[in-house]
Amino acid sequence: MKIHVLGSAAGGGFPQWNCNCNNCRGYREGTVNAKARTQSSIAISHGDSDWILFNASPDIRAQLAGFAPMQPARQIRDTGIASVVLMDSQIDHCTGLLMLREGCPFDVWCTPMVHEDLCTGFPIFNMLTHWNGGLNWRPIEVAEGAENRFAIEKVPGITLTAIPLRSSAPPYSPHRNDPHIGDNIGIYVVDETRGTSLFYAPGLGDIEPHLRPYMEKADCLLVDGTLWRDDEMMTAGVGTKTGQEMGHLAQSGPGGMIDYLDTLSGPRKVLIHINNTNPILDEDSAERAELAEHGIEVAWDGMSIEL
């Protein structure tokens, strides 16, 4: 199983276009040792030519252009994208569907709650019906206590299990203040040939007990690295909400992501969905060194993992 990180940043990317926090300003001035990052998305394949795209960020065109296998050139109009899987209906995870309109129709896998959001508050499914019939919705069923397993026909040898996560729907959702199962999911991906597996969850506000069995048996964890501190957005002067209020578990502090990952000895541990304010973006920072001491990596655009 091949995993390619197309984008490793949180919404807005890094540096964020309108931000002059320490990281963004430092990157532009050359005083911070960091890599530019586009908004979070990965692709997974069992070979080299057909890929499952997880989330479609607003940066999708540049991401596809920067990864040659996404244009296999087998015919006049072609793409390496076999299907798209959406983890949620957040704007930084689904806006890229609009940029893929020339490739319609294609399959988009998402939960009924995400589909509802993308037919109402942010009606991408409705809008794209004007391009060759639009998107083919493939439902991802999620139920607590059930094995929500599915497979994508165009990428044989890979099975996926959807795992409901506690989270809030985006601001434009009709049920923004009324959370439902399926607003946000994690994905457990298995290579049926090798028996290797990945647990992918770019948004984790709370690591609920039902997630642990998947995280324990995964060979690699690719999980939420949005914020270093819960109050980071407020401390940086760029926001008014805590990480918990936004649905993200901070890395530092008692009960944070570092503490939890320390309890898992088996899997490779990689953080993704890094916010522009997070000091771990600075490769020379004390926070980055602390992650390394705990055996935790930070994803970057173009990173490849093979399991």
Side-chain angles (χ1 to χ4, degrees):
M1 174 166 57
K2 296 181 179 180
I3 304 154
H4 187 83
V5 176
L6 294 166
S8 55
F14 174 72
Q16 184 170 306
W17 65 277
N18 68 334
C19 186
N20 290 297
C21 69
N22 290 339
N23 282 340
C24 293
R25 184 180 67 253
Y27 177 84
R28 294 188 188 101
E29 294 176 352
T31 58
V32 169
N33 180 19
K35 296 179 176 70
R37 286 168 160 84
T38 58
Q39 294 167 90
S40 176
S41 177
I42 68 170
I44 293 179
S45 176
H46 199 245
D48 289 307
S49 58
D50 293 304
W51 296 77
I52 306 168
L53 177 66
F54 290 82
N55 293 330
S57 90
D59 302 313
I60 186 65
R61 190 181 184 282
Q63 293 170 345
L64 298 182
F67 185 45
M70 284 301 186
Q71 181 44 263
R74 295 163 294 195
Q75 51 193 336
I76 293 177
R77 290 288 178 96
D78 197 15
T79 177
I81 302 173
S83 282
V84 180
V85 174
L86 299 179
M87 313 295 287
D88 53 50
S89 55
Q90 298 290 342
I91 197 166
D92 52 317
H93 286 163
C94 61
T95 304
L97 293 173
L98 297 173
M99 288 70 170
L100 299 177
R101 62 191 179 276
E102 294 88 356
C104 289
F106 55 86
D107 292 347
V108 174
W109 294 78
C110 63
T111 68
M113 298 314 302
V114 169
H115 183 252
E116 178 184 319
D117 288 346
L118 299 183
C119 289
T120 53
F122 188 22
I124 289 178
F125 273 85
N126 305 352
M127 294 160 63
L128 289 178
T129 58
H130 301 284
W131 280 266
N132 298 321
L135 309 173
N136 299 324
W137 177 40
R138 303 295 299 272
I140 298 176
E141 299 301 334
V142 283
E144 288 186 305
E147 188 76 0
N148 307 300
R149 185 178 299 175
F150 64 103
I152 292 173
E153 299 90 337
K154 295 178 182 178
V155 188
I158 297 286
T159 59
L160 305 96
T161 299
I163 309 158
L165 305 179
R166 186 180 302 158
S167 184
S168 296
Y172 41 79
S173 171
H175 60 277
R176 165 68 169 177
N177 299 312
D178 180 21
H180 286 66
I181 293 175
D183 286 335
N184 188 15
I185 59 171
I187 291 282
Y188 180 68
V189 188
V190 176
D191 181 327
E192 295 293 348
T193 303
R194 294 189 176 185
T196 52
S197 60
L198 168 75
F199 176 79
Y200 176 53
L204 268 178
D206 180 22
I207 304 178
E208 302 164 80
H210 70 274
L211 302 181
R212 187 162 185 99
Y214 295 102
M215 298 177 79
E216 286 182 327
K217 64 185 177 181
D219 293 287
C220 182
L221 307 176
L222 197 53
V223 295
D224 193 335
T226 308
L227 302 172
W228 180 258
R229 294 173 43 167
D230 190 51
D231 63 353
E232 185 174 305
M233 299 289 284
M234 295 180 286
T235 301
V238 298
T240 59
K241 294 183 178 180
T242 65
Q244 285 289 295
E245 289 172 330
M246 295 186 293
H248 299 289
L249 179 64
Q251 282 108 60
S252 64
M257 185 66 76
I258 294 174
D259 274 3
Y260 189 87
L261 293 182
D262 278 348
T263 69
L264 299 167
S265 59
R268 181 178 178 182
K269 304 161 187 176
V270 185
L271 300 179
I272 195 169
H273 196 271
I274 318 298
N275 198 60
N276 65 86
T277 56
N278 195 326
I280 66 173
L281 288 170
D282 182 351
E283 298 180 21
D284 298 329
S285 66
E287 292 83 359
R288 188 65 169 265
E290 184 174 344
L291 287 182
E293 289 173 3
H294 290 266
I296 301 171
E297 303 173 58
V298 179
W300 45 275
D301 290 22
M303 181 183 195
S304 290
I305 299 170
E306 187 163 346
L307 299 176

